[in-house]
Amino acid sequence: MKLLHKDIEKDNAGQVTLMPEEAEDMWHTYNLLQVGDSLRASTIRKVQTESTTGSVGSSRVRTTLTLCVETIDFDSQACQLRVKGTNLEENQYVKMGAYHTIELELNRKFTLAKKSWDSIVLDRIEQACDATQKADVAAVVMQEGLANVVLVTPAMTLLRAKVEVTIPRKRRGSCTQHEKALERFYEAVMQAILRHINFDVVKCILVASPGFVKDQFITYLYKEAVRQDNKILLENRPKFMLVHSSSGHKYSLKEILSDPTVTSRLSDTKAAGEVKALEDFYKMLQHEPDRAFYGVAHVEKAADALAIDTLLISDKLFRHQDVPTRSRYVRLVDNVRDNGGNVRIFSSLHVSGELQGIIGHFDYF
């Protein structure tokens, strides 16, 4: 994300102009937008025209509109963001008050105006525009006949490919069918890796499985890379890291990221830090339950008593449409930070944030 202009007054009202540069920036934008905001962006509008002969035709024209945001729709897999609202500034194509839907596009700027910019939203902008936070990780979580290729970005866990191949059992006296099916499976996984992983960005590729599936796959991968003279795989061989997992399903990713050897390898990524913080909470809840709390009321009392060391909170709470409720969570975060505590805001599209959605709002100090 690129910050092009920022104009925020002392009363926290104002506007910023941003340009999303990659798919994940749409997720950050989704977290910035709220109902009632003003969004100005370029969009396509279908316009009807009438010729001198009376015939009516239609054409699509590009125009710039300013909408009062009413509906926000985010597609997490395609990373597409659509915003629907009423037009605030009349132009030659769209009347005042008319409804329109803007689909925000990569490398096309937009201006967002708010009546009040709180600290959470400003931190989100700083995070999105910080190039040092792009230390991404990829993972291939597999078992015989099933593999999930996942991208772990600083804010999201995205499933990019799912490979499923039926593997027949070994028969007494003949393993031919079994071995051929395994080879087809490994080939499909290798192609998924080449198609969906950008080796210029990804620092580490975790290959995880129960048993020896991961070892057999890596042996096949390197053998094929040499045979095909695939320079991409050969040059990035040090990035592959073998890890044990209990299954080949996506939910095993949390278990993988909790592995101490993985944590040390990924120490510079936001993903590993969040998973470690969650693991620390579990340990404290088990061994020192008097020091671990969850639930808004209890955590707010602790914040008032200046007792919070680390606060874990989901970004879902900051998308709440009720302004007083959202302000309550913002005040809690500001209070903890002002008194020297650490705050970790978990993404609801991250493997750690997905877990939070199951167990409730998670706060730890």
Side-chain angles (χ1 to χ4, degrees):
M1 186 89 80
K2 186 178 292 183
L3 177 63
L4 303 178
H5 179 71
K6 183 178 179 182
D7 181 18
I8 298 177
E9 305 293 337
K10 290 183 179 180
D11 61 354
N12 290 329
Q15 63 183 30
V16 297
T17 301
L18 299 163
M19 182 185 291
E21 296 179 305
E22 53 189 58
E24 190 181 349
D25 291 338
M26 292 302 177
W27 169 248
H28 290 299
T29 305
Y30 172 58
N31 282 278
L32 295 176
L33 287 167
Q34 288 177 272
V35 173
D37 290 348
S38 170
L39 176 69
R40 182 176 177 82
S42 173
T43 184
I44 300 293
R45 180 76 173 185
K46 189 176 181 180
V47 178
Q48 286 191 337
T49 56
E50 186 174 347
S51 67
T52 54
T53 60
S55 61
V56 177
S58 65
S59 60
R60 294 165 64 84
V61 296
R62 182 167 287 280
T63 183
T64 300
L65 296 181
T66 303
L67 301 184
C68 178
V69 178
E70 290 190 9
T71 306
I72 308 161
D73 180 31
F74 179 69
D75 184 340
S76 60
Q77 289 305 313
C79 285
Q80 292 179 338
L81 181 61
R82 296 179 184 88
V83 182
K84 181 181 179 182
T86 52
N87 186 30
L88 295 175
E89 297 179 6
E90 187 169 354
N91 67 16
Q92 65 183 104
Y93 302 115
V94 188
K95 295 180 180 179
M96 281 275 290
Y99 277 93
H100 187 78
T101 299
I102 292 178
E103 182 171 330
L104 295 180
E105 303 174 38
L106 294 180
N107 300 311
R108 198 176 289 276
K109 67 179 182 179
F110 66 88
T111 299
L112 179 63
K114 290 178 178 285
K115 295 178 181 177
S116 177
W117 289 83
D118 58 49
S119 60
I120 300 298
V121 177
L122 294 175
D123 283 349
R124 172 70 67 171
I125 293 175
E126 186 177 341
Q127 176 189 343
C129 297
D130 184 1
T132 63
Q133 301 202 34
K134 304 300 181 184
D136 290 347
V137 179
V140 182
V141 191
M142 62 195 308
Q143 62 189 42
E144 274 198 5
L146 172 66
N148 290 282
V149 180
V150 181
L151 292 182
V152 185
T153 73
M156 305 169 70
T157 306
L158 294 173
L159 177 64
R160 277 295 170 242
K162 186 173 184 178
V163 179
E164 291 183 281
V165 174
T166 302
I167 309 292
R169 293 184 177 182
K170 293 180 180 179
R171 294 184 179 181
R172 183 176 297 177
S174 175
C175 300
T176 307
Q177 296 300 318
H178 176 81
E179 290 174 356
K180 285 183 178 180
L182 269 181
E183 191 166 317
R184 287 199 308 272
F185 172 59
Y186 293 151
E187 172 65 21
V189 176
M190 184 179 78
Q191 293 304 321
I193 289 173
L194 291 171
R195 191 178 304 117
H196 296 286
I197 294 178
N198 184 349
F199 289 90
D200 294 331
V201 176
V202 170
K203 288 189 172 183
C204 180
I205 302 145
L206 304 173
V207 181
S209 78
F212 297 100
V213 178
K214 59 184 182 298
D215 305 273
Q216 293 168 359
F217 169 69
I218 285 296
T219 301
Y220 173 87
L221 185 74
Y222 294 155
K223 180 182 175 182
E224 284 298 300
V226 172
R227 187 180 71 81
Q228 299 175 16
D229 192 25
N230 190 312
K231 293 182 179 179
I232 294 177
L233 291 175
L234 294 173
E235 290 173 1
N236 289 279
R237 184 169 179 166
K239 292 184 179 181
F240 286 88
M241 180 180 181
L242 300 185
V243 192
H244 173 78
S245 69
S246 57
S247 78
H249 296 280
K250 184 186 170 186
Y251 62 76
S252 296
L253 191 58
K254 179 189 170 293
E255 166 198 345
I256 296 163
L257 293 174
S258 302
D259 189 305
T261 55
V262 175
T263 304
S264 61
R265 175 79 177 264
L266 309 180
S267 58
D268 60 339
T269 68
K270 183 173 181 283
E274 288 184 352
V275 173
K276 184 179 184 305
L278 203 55
E279 285 298 308
D280 290 344
F281 173 85
Y282 286 141
K283 289 177 183 177
M284 184 172 287
L285 192 62
Q286 183 178 3
H287 300 293
E288 299 178 272
D290 292 340
R291 291 184 58 202
F293 290 80
Y294 53 92
V296 180
H298 288 162
V299 172
E300 284 179 329
K301 287 181 181 178
D304 292 338
L306 311 183
I308 293 182
D309 176 53
T310 303
L311 172 72
L312 308 189
I313 189 167
S314 172
D315 63 6
K316 278 184 180 179
L317 303 181
F318 303 111
R319 294 197 296 274
H320 207 290
Q321 299 304 329
D322 182 51
V323 176
T325 303
R326 175 187 166 87
S327 299
R328 180 184 184 185
Y329 297 125
V330 173
R331 281 196 305 272
L332 174 62
V333 169
D334 288 343
N335 189 3
V336 172
R337 284 175 173 164
D338 291 344
N339 292 301
N342 299 314
V343 176
R344 284 191 175 273
I345 299 176
F346 282 63
S347 169
S348 55
L349 281 189
H350 201 279
V351 60
S352 53
E354 288 172 4
L355 181 64
Q356 285 188 321
I358 298 170
I359 62 179
H361 307 321
F362 223 78
D363 309 284
Y364 148 47
F365 58 93

